[in-house]
Amino acid sequence: MIYQQAFTCNPFQENTYFVWDDAGNGVVIDPGCYTYAERKVMQDFIESKSIKLQYILNTHAHIDHILGVAYFQQTYKIPFCLHPLDKPLLDDASNRAEVYGFPHYQTAMVDRWFVNNEQIQVGAMKFNVLFVPGHAPGHVAFYEASMGWVFDGDVLFKQSIGRTDFPLCNHTDLLSSIKNQLYTLPEETLVFPGHGPATSIAEEKMNNPFVKA
C-alpha cells in the first residue's frame, strides 16, 4: 500500500506532500515549510509514521515550493531533485525571498537533475516524471500509476490553472502541458496540486473553464 499526506505551508498556502509505502520508504514533494512551527509539525508526522525519506522531489523552483528544501537536506541528509530548466528560478530564489518577505530563506544546491520521462523508484512507489512546462520552464509532475495519483505542482488546479504572468512563464506551453500530458492520463487519476484541494482528471476535463478536453 502507498499513502500520501498533504500539509499546507507558508503565506502562499502551498501544499507539501509526503508519499510513503508500508515499509516506510518515502519522499517529500515541494517542501514549502518556512517557520519553525511548520517544520516541527512535519517532523512529528514523519516520526509518528516512521517514514524514512529518500528524496526531495520538486515540481518547480518558485519560492513558495522550495522554502523548506534546505531544511530537509540538512535534517534528513537526502538529495534535492529538480529539472535543469528551472535552474534560473532557483538561482534567483534569494532575490524572490527578499521581495516576498522570507528573510531566513536558506539556499539549496541540487543533487540530482531530472530527465524527462524518467521513472524514480522508491520502495513500492514508481514516479513517472512528466515534463509539463508553462508555469515554470522546467516544471514537472510526478505520476504514480499504481495508485492513480499525479502530483502536478502549479499546472492544473481544481477548476483553475497555473499563473503565466511571472517571468519565464508561457501560457501556450501550459495549455499544451495540460492537454498533452495531464489530460491523457486515465480519467480516474487523482490530481494533487500545489495549492488548493485535490481534484481528478475527469472532473477537470468536464468542468475546468480554462482548458477543455
Side-chain angles (χ1 to χ4, degrees), residues 48-125:
S48 73
K49 299 295 184 181
S50 299
I51 299 172
K52 301 182 291 288
L53 292 175
Q54 306 295 319
Y55 288 108
I56 303 162
L57 305 180
N58 263 74
T59 60
H60 65 299
H62 283 152
I63 189 62
D64 52 326
H65 290 253
I66 62 171
L67 286 167
V69 168
Y71 164 77
F72 276 94
Q73 275 185 314
Q74 296 164 13
T75 304
Y76 297 97
K77 312 302 181 187
I78 53 175
F80 168 38
C81 310
L82 186 71
H83 194 282
L85 290 180
D86 251 32
K87 186 177 185 298
L89 295 180
L90 186 66
D91 291 345
D92 189 50
S94 293
N95 294 328
R96 295 299 93 197
E98 183 176 351
V99 168
Y100 288 111
F102 299 109
H104 304 298
Y105 166 72
Q106 294 176 284
T107 58
M109 299 295 292
V110 175
D111 300 292
R112 173 176 173 177
W113 297 105
F114 290 128
V115 176
N116 294 356
N117 302 314
E118 73 170 305
Q119 187 177 83
I120 296 176
Q121 182 162 0
V122 180
M125 302 168 291

Side-chain angles (χ1 to χ4, degrees), residues 177-195:
S177 293
I178 293 171
K179 290 179 180 179
N180 298 322
Q181 291 279 34
L182 299 184
Y183 277 6
T184 55
L185 296 175
E187 291 198 339
E188 63 270 19
T189 301
L190 294 179
V191 180
F192 296 102
H195 304 268

